Amino acid sequence: MQPIDAIPDIHADPDRLERSLDAVEPGARIAFLGDFIDALPGQAAVSDRAVLERVRDLVETKRAVAVMGNHELNAILFHRLGIDGAALRRHSPRNHAQHRSFVADFGIMTPQALGWTEWFLTLPLWREEGGLRLVHACWSAPAIETVAARRPDGRLRAADLPEIASRSTRFGQAVQLLVTGPEQRLPEGMGFHDSHGAMRRRVRLAWWRHGAKSWRDAALSVPDPEELPRTALPAHPELSFYPADAPPVLCGHYKMRGAPCIEARNVACLDYPDAPCIYRWRGETRLMDEHLQAV
């Protein structure tokens, strides 16, 4: 069993990437959890180019493995046209703003932009390394089964992109679940303000919180949980929590707050923008707080 050190979302921050790599122990294999691109608001160090060149070198020289994040998938769609001649991901002001640092480095639909998004297509949506599972946002056995029926290695192809963009098929919805995680619409008339001040009617759910009963217990990425209803989560066929006896999973994506911690002994979200960390997996079946390493 080769030890694995997992690195979550870098978001075009070369300083954070190098600090994370410096924390990797000699002999450990590096596992990247996606979202290499698109700087966050207020970020000091920004270079999509530097991050991508460093990560690609590590992956292609077999020193690291990586999975695709939602920002990589969004970029693939942003820089490709559908049969109607429109971009598969709308070039709206909001999408432009989110993707601004990548566009600053590579432009829109240029050979460089298309070249990098072709490389993104080589990244699988999930990986299993020994007894460890790696995914960007959500390990969902049904979604993985749906994608694997067409793409056994978890790697998407250009032919898949229109239905992923439209989310019109079970396959497209499964792909989106793996990279963005489960969301559910709040009760009628309810909403919350996200970190940008926008009103949201759908909320991300922590698929690893087995004991969550209410919206407030299960919600993620909500700056003010007081805006959420105190009522119980409704029964929903697509809402299921990761089994407590399943193999350990490491993910990113959710921009967690506070000090890094492990909420479920077989699932850890490592994405803490204000307290960057990596996880040092050494073969354990139950994840341990002491294996979280600040960077």
Side-chain angles (χ1 to χ4, degrees), residues 43 67 95 114 173:
Q43 189 172 302
V67 295
N95 291 343
L114 291 171
Q173 293 161 7

Side-chain angles (χ1 to χ4, degrees), residues 184-193 199-203 215-216 225-231:
Q184 197 158 350
R185 181 171 290 279
L186 289 163
E188 188 66 29
M190 299 298 298
F192 70 94
H193 294 87
M199 175 59 69
R200 298 278 190 166
R201 306 295 180 185
R202 297 178 64 85
V203 66
W215 290 100
R216 294 189 183 186
E226 292 294 319
E227 292 187 280
L228 297 178
R230 298 178 183 273
T231 53

Side-chain angles (χ1 to χ4, degrees), residues 4 33 53 63 80 92 111 114 178 201 215 246 270:
I4 292 174
L33 299 177
E53 289 177 350
R63 289 174 286 173
R80 282 167 175 76
S92 65
L114 291 171
L178 298 175
R201 306 295 180 185
W215 290 100
L270 305 182

Side-chain angles (χ1 to χ4, degrees), residues 23-260:
V24 171
E25 290 189 335
R29 193 176 197 192
I30 301 162
F32 289 109
L33 299 177
D35 276 8
F36 310 111
I37 63 171
D38 297 341
L40 300 176
Q43 189 172 302
V46 177
S47 177
D48 290 65
R49 185 186 302 276
V51 167
L52 287 174
E53 289 177 350
R54 186 81 159 103
V55 169
R56 185 175 63 179
D57 176 68
L58 290 166
V59 171
E60 293 187 347
T61 56
K62 311 298 184 185
R63 289 174 286 173
V65 296
V67 295
M68 183 189 293
N70 63 303
H71 281 257
E72 285 74 53
L73 179 58
N74 287 345
I76 292 167
L77 301 176
F78 190 92
H79 295 276
R80 282 167 175 76
L81 302 178
I83 58 173
D84 60 356
L88 291 173
R89 179 171 172 82
R90 288 196 315 120
H91 291 185
S92 65
R94 178 174 180 152
N95 291 343
H96 261 290
Q98 186 182 70
H99 199 41
R100 69 194 184 284
S101 63
F102 183 95
V103 170
D105 275 357
F106 304 117
I108 298 176
M109 297 184 185
T110 64
Q112 283 191 83
L114 291 171
W116 279 112
T117 58
E118 283 293 329
W119 182 70
F120 298 160
L121 284 170
T122 70
L123 303 175
L125 294 167
W126 71 87
R127 292 191 72 101
E128 292 195 67
E129 297 288 328
L132 181 66
R133 293 174 168 178
L134 307 168
V135 72
H136 179 63
C138 176
W139 189 280
S140 164
I144 289 172
E145 181 179 350
T146 296
V147 176
R150 183 190 302 182
R151 305 295 180 214
D153 63 358
R155 291 176 171 86
L156 301 174
R157 297 183 186 175
D160 304 325
L161 299 178
E163 64 187 287
I164 295 170
S166 67
R167 309 188 188 200
S168 58
T169 66
R170 187 179 173 196
F171 178 90
Q173 293 161 7
V175 170
Q176 292 287 353
L177 177 60
L178 298 175
V179 299
T180 63
E183 294 186 1
Q184 197 158 350
R185 181 171 290 279
L186 289 163
E188 188 66 29
M190 299 298 298
F192 70 94
H193 294 87
D194 66 15
S195 58
H196 302 290
M199 175 59 69
R200 298 278 190 166
R201 306 295 180 185
R202 297 178 64 85
V203 66
R204 291 174 172 176
L205 300 176
W207 47 275
W208 57 83
R209 291 179 186 164
H210 312 287
K213 303 297 182 184
S214 72
W215 290 100
R216 294 189 183 186
D217 292 338
L220 287 167
S221 309
V222 177
D224 182 8
E226 292 294 319
E227 292 187 280
L228 297 178
R230 298 178 183 273
T231 53
L233 287 169
H236 196 285
E238 295 181 2
L239 175 58
S240 60
F241 293 96
Y242 189 70
D245 59 351
V249 181
L250 299 177
C251 69
H253 183 61
Y254 293 103
K255 297 180 175 59
M256 305 290 280
R257 295 187 169 196

